[in-house]
Amino acid sequence: MGGRLYGQQALQEGFVPRLVGLHHKDGYLVPFAYPKGSPVVRIVGGRGSGKTALLGAVHDAYNGRVPLARVDLGAPGFGEPGVADGDDGVPNASRITHLLYLLAYKLGLDVRHFGKPLVFPRLSLGLLVVTAWRPLNSDETDVRPPDLRRAEADLRTLITAEDPDVRRRRESLGRWFDVVTDNLPLVLSAVPGLDTIAGIVLDTARAQLVRSEPDKGALAWWGDRLHRSQGYQGDSLQRLFQFVRGFRRLDDRRRTAEEHLVAALLDDIDANYGTLRRLNRKPRPLLLLDNAHTDVGRDFLDLLDAGDHGPGDAPGKAPTRPVVLATLLGRASGHPPLTEVGGDAVPRTRPLVLSIPGIEPAHIAEMLSPVDYPDHLPRVVARYSGGRAASARILADAAVRRVEDVGTIRGGELLDEAAPALLAKLLPDPVLRERLVLLSAAADAGTRRGLWTFSHPEDHSEELVAVRVREADDYRTRSCLDGDRALDLLLRHRLAASVSHERWRDTQLRLRSLCDPRGDTYLHHTLALGRVDEVVGALHHRFTVTPPGAWLAALNVVCSAPHPRAGYEPPAASPFLSCTACGSDLPGPHHDAIASLVPLLWRLSDPLTLAPREDELTTVRIALETLYGNKAAHAAYREASAAWPARLRAGAQAPDLPVEEGAAS
């Protein structure tokens, strides 16, 4: 089942019906948004954003109503039970041919009220010769049964003859096809489990080979198409069997051969829509491609784009093309959201790339609605979900269960329960996931290697340490999660929950030792140790020598320090010592203002914190106004005194509190 969608209805209920030509629930026809053929629709989103749920909802709406194929391009066997992965390194198969077999099989299934099932004579012919034919002088070890080798040798003699006997050639083709069919598991040994599906697809090929003349039907299509390519001679059948050589080269010629096969798929679909189906405005076939960011996915989408304008298109009419929805793992920024295809909008860009919008507060409230939840809970769910529908769903479901069981819930309890599932969803590799949990304690790239060495003293080599850290960082980048704030929060929570108080202290001390004592990250780790007075003294000194904008930016970084697990005892507060910035034994007003700001902003920047109280926001405002002190050069503090309380009330936290651009120096 597709599951509940959030913010994606414009595509599922409005745009897809106009692509397919059929309402998503009712049986009435819908005018085509693209009468001359729709573009491939690429849908981009991060892990857990709802890409798979969207395809599931579209699948559920149209399954059994139009020819439909759904495949997972990131799963073994493309998600088909019992089918192994294809191998691009073998002569007679590739991931693309594996995919084409599956698509032809699924699109060719009977659909009620649609009419005759779709057939794929062009594609089945091309797949047959690629899969089963061995060119002369092949350097492969021949382990095939003798009857298959004899049938092939007899057929080769007739195909290569300058003036072959047509009757004998048909008989030879029939014998060869029968033997190939009997030995499909061996012929398709590169893709175990595909032989049953392939057998169904190739049934169409027999009629084309045995009963068709070379200048008719699918054979004629191959003859014409290959005639436009260099190096193919003879009649249509002879060119088709020569075509295998290009596929087996494992170089650019294989890519060209795959272009021909995808063009065959597209032109077969078009040929299934004859005059009657066009007049009756029959809905178009639907291809749902999940995880199309994979290598095979990118290749197939490129081939579809190329085939959409290929030489097989019949002149004088717009070809009928399948509706293709492809989801890709990626960043949504830079692409228009799905909501832009609502109403009567018809985007003209090709390729058409849309992004999945982030989860909204109303959606989170809907998820939590089964229980009477605390007021602060939606903010916590939003903060840790990072706009991802699946993450919000995991958090909300855990919260609802907890409230139903015990009547209430604390943020820390929610994260303790939900964080493992959230991290497993975002970072499926358990080894690299745990590596990123450890490295989350480092505030910048400069301390990550030192932290790894501290935690894994057995890795003596600097090169090995660099590899370990780089592998983790690359994995996060490939997952499109580098710089993701919600993931940072999850990783840090998991780290704090998984180490003892002593280990927390030792880790922060080690990280601090790797930092420049004059830098922001040194104070960041100092605050994570609970040494508030030390941070206040250092920031007061900086206040006297640092431009206001830079000082506020530093305060943001410092107060975003992570919080240790409950029960951690920071060092006892020392009595006030003479502050070099104060110039006396008693703290001045600026020191007092900083001393009130630092612990309060740090606490309010704990992602599990409740909504700030009004008296706390007043404290922030007064402290910043004190730092302003009616000095024109300190205008940035005045701006912050107005902006920060409002932003904190709205849920912002350090390091995201605003610092005015170009603040006075």
Side-chain angles (χ1 to χ4, degrees):
M1 298 296 290
R4 175 75 168 89
L5 298 183
Y6 299 96
Q8 304 172 40
Q9 289 83 354
L11 185 135
Q12 186 233 353
E13 299 177 5
F15 194 49
V16 171
R18 292 190 294 133
L19 298 177
V20 176
L22 182 66
H23 189 266
H24 70 287
K25 286 184 179 179
D26 299 325
Y28 63 84
L29 301 178
V30 176
F32 291 118
Y34 298 92
K36 295 184 178 181
S38 63
V40 173
V41 182
R42 292 165 167 86
I43 302 167
V44 177
R47 284 205 177 111
S49 60
K51 304 184 302 297
T52 299
L54 174 60
L55 291 190
V58 174
H59 173 272
D60 293 347
Y62 288 99
N63 189 31
R65 304 175 66 206
V66 301
L68 183 150
R70 181 183 181 184
V71 294
D72 185 348
L73 298 174
F78 298 132
E80 189 69 21
V83 178
D85 271 337
D87 186 352
D88 284 327
V90 298
N92 68 328
S94 71
R95 298 274 283 166
I96 294 295
T97 59
H98 175 187
L99 176 60
L100 290 172
Y101 269 120
L102 287 177
L103 293 180
Y105 164 71
K106 292 188 174 189
L107 291 173
L109 295 176
D110 190 23
V111 178
R112 287 187 64 190
H113 309 304
F114 184 79
K116 292 182 180 180
L118 302 186
V119 292
F120 297 89
R122 298 163 181 79
L123 177 60
S124 62
L125 272 180
L127 290 174
L128 172 64
V129 297
V130 160
T131 299
W133 187 251
R134 289 167 61 104
L136 194 62
N137 301 324
S138 171
D139 57 1
E140 305 164 53
T141 302
D142 198 344
V143 295
R144 298 173 303 163
D147 56 344
L148 180 56
R149 282 181 278 170
R150 285 194 297 270
E152 185 178 273
D154 179 61
L155 179 57
R156 179 178 287 112
T157 300
L158 292 170
I159 288 177
T160 55
E162 292 185 6
D163 188 19
D165 183 299
V166 175
R167 181 186 61 80
R168 283 192 59 202
R169 190 163 74 172
R170 285 181 177 175
E171 293 173 352
S172 182
L173 280 167
R175 286 193 299 272
W176 176 73
F177 185 91
D178 291 341
V179 177
V180 167
T181 302
D182 292 340
N183 291 276
L184 265 183
L186 178 61
V187 173
L188 284 167
S189 59
V191 191
L194 190 62
D195 49 291
T196 300
I197 291 173
I200 295 172
V201 173
L202 296 181
D203 276 346
T204 309
R206 179 185 178 89
Q208 293 295 319
L209 281 173
V210 176
R211 294 198 294 270
S212 292
E213 295 292 342
D215 59 348
K216 294 181 180 180
L219 269 176
W221 183 92
W222 278 103
D224 291 343
R225 187 172 183 93
L226 295 175
H227 179 68
R228 288 187 286 268
S229 300
Q230 296 181 353
Y232 295 100
Q233 300 176 349
D235 62 26
S236 296
L237 187 69
Q238 291 168 331
R239 293 172 191 162
L240 178 63
F241 278 84
Q242 294 169 26
F243 161 72
V244 181
R245 289 191 177 277
F247 184 89
R248 292 186 168 230
R249 294 294 185 183
L250 302 180
D251 54 21
D252 289 344
R253 282 167 287 188
R254 168 168 285 196
R255 172 64 177 232
T256 301
E258 290 173 341
E259 287 180 5
H260 294 323
L261 291 170
V262 171
L265 168 74
L266 295 175
D267 281 6
D268 275 334
I269 289 174
D270 180 51
N272 279 278
Y273 283 75
T275 302
L276 187 59
R277 272 186 172 153
R278 290 175 185 271
L279 288 174
N280 291 332
R281 293 176 49 237
K282 279 291 185 180
R284 290 168 176 155
L286 187 55
L287 301 186
L288 304 177
L289 310 175
D290 205 0
N291 292 311
H293 57 276
T294 55
D295 290 343
V296 65
R298 288 193 297 268
D299 288 345
F300 186 60
L301 292 184
D302 289 345
L303 291 169
L304 283 175
D305 288 338
D308 192 29
H309 306 285
D313 292 350
K317 69 177 181 68
T320 299
R321 291 300 187 227
V323 175
V324 182
L325 302 184
T327 64
L328 299 89
L329 176 65
R331 293 188 178 278
S333 59
H335 304 298
L338 299 182
T339 50
E340 290 202 3
V341 295
D344 296 327
V346 182
R348 297 299 176 187
T349 57
R350 291 189 183 227
L352 176 56
V353 184
L354 302 171
S355 64
I356 293 184
I359 201 80
E360 297 178 1
H363 300 144
I364 294 174
E366 179 186 337
M367 295 177 188
L368 295 169
S369 61
V371 297
D372 185 14
Y373 54 85
D375 291 341
H376 71 280
L377 190 56
R379 181 175 290 182
V380 173
V381 172
R383 192 169 285 153
Y384 280 94
S385 65
R388 290 176 279 269
S391 295
R393 183 84 262 174
I394 291 171
L395 286 161
D397 287 348
V400 169
R401 286 194 302 269
R402 184 79 178 180
V403 173
E404 289 175 340
D405 291 344
V406 301
T408 187
I409 187 170
R410 294 184 177 89
E413 296 169 342
L414 171 61
L415 263 294
D416 288 344
E417 180 176 344
L422 287 169
L423 288 172
K425 179 77 173 178
L426 297 174
L427 304 168
D429 188 308
V431 173
L432 293 173
R433 180 170 67 243
E434 289 307 309
R435 200 176 295 180
L436 285 169
V437 168
L438 168 65
L439 295 174
S440 69
D444 57 33
T447 56
R448 295 169 74 77
R449 293 184 186 181
L451 175 59
W452 183 267
T453 302
F454 170 69
S455 301
H456 293 83
E458 70 278 6
D459 290 344
H460 302 292
S461 165
E462 291 185 6
E463 291 78 7
L464 181 58
V465 170
V467 168
R468 294 281 189 261
V469 174
R470 185 170 59 252
E471 286 174 344
D473 292 342
D474 289 348
Y475 175 62
R476 181 168 176 168
T477 299
R478 292 196 306 273
S479 301
C480 299
L481 290 166
D482 47 320
D484 187 274
R485 184 63 52 77
L487 178 60
D488 289 335
L489 298 179
L490 286 169
L491 293 170
R492 290 182 179 183
H493 179 89
R494 190 64 183 156
L495 176 66
S498 62
V499 299
S500 66
H501 292 148
E502 292 75 18
R503 185 64 176 177
W504 172 272
R505 182 196 64 231
D506 292 344
T507 298
Q508 298 298 330
L509 283 171
R510 175 59 175 170
L511 287 167
R512 192 175 77 149
S513 72
L514 298 170
C515 299
D516 183 347
R518 298 165 297 180
D520 298 342
T521 52
Y522 183 90
L523 296 182
H524 175 96
H525 293 297
T526 301
L527 192 56
L529 289 164
R531 297 180 176 179
V532 177
D533 288 345
E534 188 176 338
V535 172
V536 169
L539 286 175
H540 188 195
H541 174 74
R542 288 196 192 181
F543 173 76
T544 63
V545 297
T546 305
W551 190 90
L552 289 168
L555 182 65
N556 253 311
V557 172
V558 173
C559 290
S560 68
H563 289 252
R565 195 72 172 161
Y568 174 79
E569 291 292 337
S574 58
F576 177 75
L577 301 176
S578 177
C579 174
T580 57
C582 290
S584 70
D585 292 338
L586 295 176
H590 289 161
H591 188 104
D592 285 341
I594 296 170
S596 64
L597 266 179
V598 169
L600 181 54
L601 286 179
W602 184 38
R603 184 168 61 78
L604 294 181
S605 295
D606 182 346
L608 292 174
T609 191
L610 305 180
R613 303 190 309 268
E614 286 302 314
D615 63 303
E616 293 172 330
L617 299 178
T618 299
T619 298
V620 172
R621 177 180 58 78
I622 292 174
L624 290 168
E625 287 177 347
T626 301
L627 297 179
Y628 165 51
N630 292 321
K631 294 182 179 180
H634 286 183
Y637 297 118
R638 180 184 59 189
E639 299 296 333
S641 71
W644 285 20
R647 293 295 297 275
L648 288 165
R649 185 183 293 112
Q653 296 180 313
D656 298 322
L657 297 172
V659 177
E660 185 180 343
E661 292 285 337
S665 302

